[in-house]
Amino acid sequence: MTVIPTLETKRLRLRPMTIEDWPAYEQLMRSERSRFMGGPTPKYVTWGIFSHDIAHWTLFGHGALMIDDKTTDKTVGQVGLNHGPLFPETELGWFLYDGFEGHGYALEAALRMRQWGFEEFGLKTLVSYIDQKNERSCKLAERMGAVIDPDAPCLDPDDLVYRHPAP
């Protein structure tokens, strides 16, 4: 069985998901805030997505981790590596809960997850699928050094594919 890691940065703890994460996750996915992630979604679909994020660890050896601010112990969002039939390539994705934008949490967490994916998990390539209207995530990918790859396969015609540089 895969051991789900806990990753650290100076300010953040990236930890395995627990059932205690469900209420905030459900609230996000059932709100307009999830519009760039296929939402808002009904409760049964939201539960499937939540379970999917956890199941990736068993199926692929990677998956989603919740982002905790180590100073406050508040969960501020999620970062993860996705793959499988919904993703032509391994994808680095992230979200923040309402009120936690503008503090650099997503950048810090995504950089750490990307480092883990390349250096510790052994990925050779990594992309982020981002809705072209999601300006904040596009800018974040660009700050990370990712560039649009117009030739990369993509399932959603509204998504841009950002290819991340390997270390």
Side-chain angles (χ1 to χ4, degrees), residues 101-164:
E101 304 93 341
H103 300 281
Y105 295 133
L107 176 63
E108 192 172 327
L111 286 170
R112 181 63 182 100
M113 183 61 104
R114 182 174 77 181
Q115 177 189 18
W116 181 87
F118 280 124
E119 295 177 4
E120 298 173 50
F121 187 69
L123 292 174
K124 302 297 182 219
T125 187
L126 189 60
V127 299
S128 289
Y129 301 105
I130 303 174
D131 187 299
Q132 55 193 324
K133 294 176 189 160
N134 189 345
E135 294 176 17
R136 292 183 87 143
S137 281
C138 289
K139 288 178 182 176
L140 177 61
E142 291 165 5
R143 281 197 304 276
M144 295 176 67
V147 295
I148 294 174
D149 182 348
D151 299 320
C154 186
L155 296 178
D156 187 333
D158 291 330
D159 283 353
L160 298 171
V161 181
Y162 281 87
R163 186 158 307 279
H164 290 270

Side-chain angles (χ1 to χ4, degrees), residues 15-137:
R15 60 158 179 85
M17 297 171 66
T18 68
I19 194 62
E20 287 76 22
D21 295 309
W22 167 247
Y25 190 101
E26 178 189 19
Q27 182 179 358
L28 170 85
M29 291 304 295
R30 296 189 69 198
S31 75
E32 183 59 27
R33 202 167 161 74
S34 68
R35 69 190 175 282
F36 298 126
M37 303 182 300
T41 57
K43 187 172 190 166
Y44 72 92
V45 172
T46 301
W47 178 253
I49 298 167
F50 183 84
S51 300
H52 163 274
D53 288 349
I54 297 168
H56 258 78
W57 288 103
T58 299
L59 297 172
F60 300 107
H62 59 70
L65 297 173
M66 300 311 292
I67 307 167
D68 290 347
D69 179 318
K70 291 195 290 191
T71 302
T72 64
D73 280 330
K74 289 186 186 254
T75 301
V76 302
Q78 184 195 73
V79 65
L81 299 177
N82 299 298
H83 196 63
L86 302 179
F87 302 92
E89 296 185 59
T90 304
E91 183 219 22
L92 173 63
W94 53 81
F95 68 72
L96 293 177
Y97 291 128
D98 192 25
F100 293 105
E101 304 93 341
H103 300 281
Y105 295 133
L107 176 63
E108 192 172 327
L111 286 170
R112 181 63 182 100
M113 183 61 104
R114 182 174 77 181
Q115 177 189 18
W116 181 87
F118 280 124
E119 295 177 4
E120 298 173 50
F121 187 69
L123 292 174
K124 302 297 182 219
T125 187
L126 189 60
V127 299
S128 289
Y129 301 105
I130 303 174
D131 187 299
Q132 55 193 324
K133 294 176 189 160
N134 189 345
E135 294 176 17
R136 292 183 87 143
S137 281

